[in-house]
Amino acid sequence: MGPLQVVWFKRDLRTADHRPLVEASRRGAVLPLYVVEPDYWQQPDSSERQWQFCRESLLELRDCLARLGQPLVVRIGQVEQVLERAHRQFGIASLWSHEETGNGWTYARDLRVATWARHHSIEWQEIPQFGVSRRLASRQGWARRWEGRMAEDLVAPPPQLETLSGLEPGPIPSSQELALAPDPCPGRQLGGRSQGIGELQSFLAKRSRRYQSELSNPSTAVVSCSRLSPHLSWGTLSLREVVQQTRQRRAGLADATGDRYWSRSLQRFDERLHWHCHFIQKLESQPSLEFRELHPATAQLRSSEPERLTAWATGCTGLPFVDACMRSLIATGWLNFRMRAMLVSVASYQLWLPWQESGLHLARLFVDYEPGIHWSQCQMQSGTTGINSIRIYNPLKQGLDHDPQGQFIRRWIPELRQVPAVYLHRPWTMDLPTQERVGCLLGSSYPLPIVDWVEAAATARSKIWALRQQEGFSALASAIHQRHGSRRAGARSPGPRRSNSRSSSRSRAARLEAEGQLCLDLA
């Protein structure tokens, strides 16, 4: 057996539309490799729920590769050390993988792997997976390049892989073996490509019809949103196949039924697939935004408040709709886009918490955690980009708008299930006799609001706007927009102006709706 073509699987856990696998198989015997990196799984943005999804996906990927002739080989340790052992044992002709825009830890690891490959004169072929461009000098033409990537032909798995004799596939460790902190998530989506295909098919065939009207309500979004986000984050589905199947379905609807309502829903979903890569591109172009404010003038605006952070993180702020959203996320690992944005907004404005702290907590809870989307959106929703409008969510209004009957609150906050509807969104207005009658004593059974959220929002708004009025703020914001802003039609350079124009407010709302809330809803 001569030197091997090593295909390093990362967050691309599939054999379909996997160009590194296909290209490697054309050049010789393939070693399909996944490295479980214990140090990665101890990072503050990693969690057991994410590993469980990843592990399920690895088990299915191993079976798929075994049917081609060579099972997935899994090793535990540092990637460069695993590669070194493989090179000494078999010889490595080339290393293949998809490009990855991960967190700071994976970026540093990839630099080490690149150094190792250069030292051994091994070519590392990295192939784009999304519509993200490396070493991007300008955003000009970015949307056109994205469309070009998405229009490329899907590639089928190689028909056969040569079996590598004498090579043990190796165990896929459990959470306990990785010493991961227990992270119960009973409502979590299951990993694996078959699960992703099922979600995609059911969404396009039926669930997507009410997508545009039901994506903002946390109860209806569970069904009407695509639920593809973890499968795109972990790569059990390729973005290209989702884009192409979505467009084929939309075209088919137009031809067969003329259902314009359904067609518009799929158009909205298609737009969010574009924004998915738009936000990942920001992290690719500026990796520091995971840690540092995009606009330097917004640095150190907020300071740690451990008690507030704990109350928010556990769903005990005394704001029922906020707490219900957090508890739902803890139990399921998923939340619709608007409610994700609301959680960040409340943490950043009403509770005045640093986005880095709230962001890490959410990163661990999201099974679909995608660093490029996540950290870009954490900064956007906390007002630290300098280029997005200040959007402070009113938690009471959000609840009344999206859970008017209180079904979502009653489901996720059992302490409030017997509270009369008139008090449900404002339990702090409930008189003591009513509290005693329904068995919900405020401050004991359920907390009173930990802040005066109306006054806190007004204070936060004043602080942010005062900062934006400072000399030099707009010039820096324009430079940031030039580097990271959308080049789609209608996008414009930001400024610190407020507008009372109703038409201006509508256009701004439409733009913000398009440019997304947290994870956009690939969700």
Side-chain angles (χ1 to χ4, degrees):
M1 182 168 56
L4 299 176
Q5 305 288 329
V6 174
V7 177
W8 176 20
F9 285 88
K10 301 167 87 176
R11 292 173 70 104
D12 51 355
L13 305 181
R14 63 183 185 275
T15 58
D17 199 31
H18 198 291
R19 292 172 188 250
L21 178 62
V22 171
E23 293 299 327
S25 69
R26 290 170 177 165
R27 289 163 173 79
V30 171
L31 169 59
L33 175 69
Y34 184 86
V35 182
V36 180
E37 303 164 275
D39 287 350
Y40 170 82
W41 290 104
Q42 294 300 324
Q43 294 304 301
D45 54 350
S46 297
S47 61
E48 182 190 34
R49 62 184 62 194
Q50 295 165 2
W51 168 245
Q52 293 287 7
F53 188 96
C54 176
R55 188 176 190 275
E56 291 158 359
S57 302
L58 289 170
L59 288 168
E60 185 170 336
L61 176 61
R62 172 170 279 178
D63 289 343
C64 289
L65 287 164
R67 289 194 291 272
L68 297 178
Q70 173 55 51
L72 179 69
V73 174
V74 175
R75 296 293 183 263
I76 303 172
Q78 293 185 359
V79 175
E80 60 270 33
Q81 294 178 358
V82 171
L83 292 173
E84 180 67 30
R85 290 194 295 270
H87 189 47
R88 290 179 180 178
Q89 185 175 358
F90 307 109
I92 295 176
S94 295
L95 176 64
W96 299 81
S97 76
H98 276 118
E99 292 178 352
E100 178 184 8
T101 304
N103 62 10
W105 190 93
T106 64
Y107 178 55
R109 174 255 277 145
D110 282 357
L111 292 177
R112 295 196 307 271
V113 171
T115 298
W116 177 88
R118 284 194 301 270
H119 176 74
H120 291 283
S121 300
I122 294 173
E123 187 175 17
W124 179 11
Q125 295 275 5
E126 293 184 275
I127 296 176
Q129 175 168 221
F130 296 143
V132 175
S133 299
R134 291 215 165 156
R135 293 170 288 278
L136 186 67
S138 168
R139 277 278 188 150
Q140 201 66 36
W142 186 90
R144 184 177 63 254
R145 288 191 294 272
W146 184 89
E147 287 290 346
R149 292 254 186 99
M150 295 304 109
E152 293 173 359
D153 290 340
L154 302 179
V155 296
Q160 185 176 347
L161 295 176
E162 178 183 336
T163 302
L164 305 178
S165 59
L167 183 62
E168 288 296 322
I172 301 176
S174 67
S175 301
Q176 293 75 22
E177 289 169 326
L178 286 176
L180 300 182
D183 179 29
C185 189
R188 174 181 62 81
Q189 288 179 257
L190 299 178
R193 179 169 173 81
S194 61
Q195 293 287 331
I197 291 293
E199 294 284 14
L200 178 59
Q201 290 176 344
S202 70
F203 178 67
L204 295 179
K206 183 177 182 180
R207 294 187 294 111
S208 59
R209 188 177 190 279
R210 302 185 67 84
Y211 172 80
Q212 67 172 339
S213 62
E214 295 189 346
L215 63 88
S216 294
N217 181 309
S219 295
T220 58
V222 170
V223 173
S224 295
C225 285
S226 76
R227 308 305 303 274
L228 298 179
S229 51
H231 295 284
L232 291 171
S233 293
W234 289 99
T236 64
L237 298 176
S238 83
L239 183 65
R240 185 182 296 107
E241 68 180 316
V242 174
V243 169
Q244 292 186 14
Q245 289 192 38
T246 298
R247 293 176 177 179
Q248 289 166 8
R249 174 59 170 157
R250 188 177 172 216
L253 283 171
D255 294 340
T257 68
D259 191 327
R260 294 182 179 179
Y261 180 85
W262 199 338
S263 180
R264 283 195 298 270
S265 279
L266 287 176
Q267 181 182 357
R268 299 295 177 266
F269 178 68
D270 192 334
E271 289 169 356
R272 282 168 171 79
L273 295 172
H274 168 97
W275 290 110
H276 164 276
C277 295
H278 166 77
F279 284 105
I280 295 176
Q281 184 69 62
K282 293 174 185 283
L283 185 63
E284 175 65 39
S285 298
Q286 190 167 340
S288 64
L289 70 79
E290 178 185 352
F291 308 105
R292 295 197 298 273
E293 288 77 4
L294 202 56
H295 197 300
T298 64
Q300 299 178 338
L301 262 180
R302 303 164 172 101
S303 58
S304 296
E305 293 278 357
E307 291 185 5
R308 288 186 180 186
L309 179 63
T310 298
W312 172 83
T314 56
C316 294
T317 65
L319 302 172
F321 193 56
V322 173
D323 292 342
C325 287
M326 182 62 78
R327 295 186 194 189
S328 170
L329 174 57
I330 291 169
T332 67
W334 183 88
L335 191 64
N336 65 313
F337 81 90
R338 183 179 291 273
M339 299 306 101
R340 296 184 188 211
M342 182 192 69
L343 287 180
V344 177
S345 175
V346 169
S348 298
Y349 294 115
Q350 282 89 347
L351 303 184
W352 205 241
L353 296 170
W355 59 270
Q356 295 94 331
E357 295 179 4
S358 57
L360 280 174
H361 176 72
L362 292 175
R364 291 188 292 271
L365 293 181
F366 292 149
V367 176
D368 59 16
Y369 170 54
E370 181 68 65
I373 297 174
H374 182 73
W375 294 114
S376 296
Q377 285 291 322
C378 282
Q379 292 220 37
M380 177 176 165
Q381 299 299 338
S382 63
T384 59
T385 66
I387 63 174
N388 299 104
S389 294
I390 304 303
R391 211 171 194 209
I392 301 177
Y393 280 69
N394 179 326
L396 176 59
K397 183 179 186 300
Q398 291 300 311
L400 292 171
D401 285 351
H402 302 295
D403 188 31
Q405 305 304 315
Q407 295 156 324
F408 187 75
I409 291 175
R410 293 187 195 280
R411 177 182 180 186
W412 293 107
I413 307 182
E415 309 96 295
L416 299 180
R417 280 179 187 160
Q418 303 305 316
V419 170
V422 68
Y423 299 119
L424 187 59
H425 287 274
R426 308 174 182 86
W428 55 86
T429 66
M430 191 165 42
D431 58 78
L432 184 57
T434 303
Q435 294 179 43
E436 293 173 339
R437 178 170 56 83
V438 301
C440 180
L441 297 178
L442 296 175
S444 175
S445 305
Y446 182 72
L448 288 163
I450 60 173
V451 295
D452 181 329
W453 54 273
V454 175
E455 181 180 332
T459 300
R461 184 178 290 107
S462 296
K463 289 181 178 179
I464 293 290
W465 278 111
L467 184 66
R468 289 194 166 203
Q469 299 297 326
Q470 291 180 1
E471 184 178 355
F473 189 97
S474 291
L476 276 172
S478 294
I480 293 167
H481 184 269
Q482 185 63 30
R483 183 174 186 182
H484 294 292
S486 169
R487 296 297 185 271
R488 278 195 159 186
R492 61 180 177 82
S493 185
R497 299 182 301 276
R498 305 193 208 201
S499 174
N500 294 320
S501 162
R502 187 171 296 179
S503 62
S504 174
S505 296
R506 286 199 192 102
S507 65
R508 182 188 305 116
R511 187 174 66 256
L512 286 170
E513 186 71 20
E515 292 190 3
Q517 322 300 330
L518 218 56
C519 217
L520 305 173
D521 178 61
L522 293 181

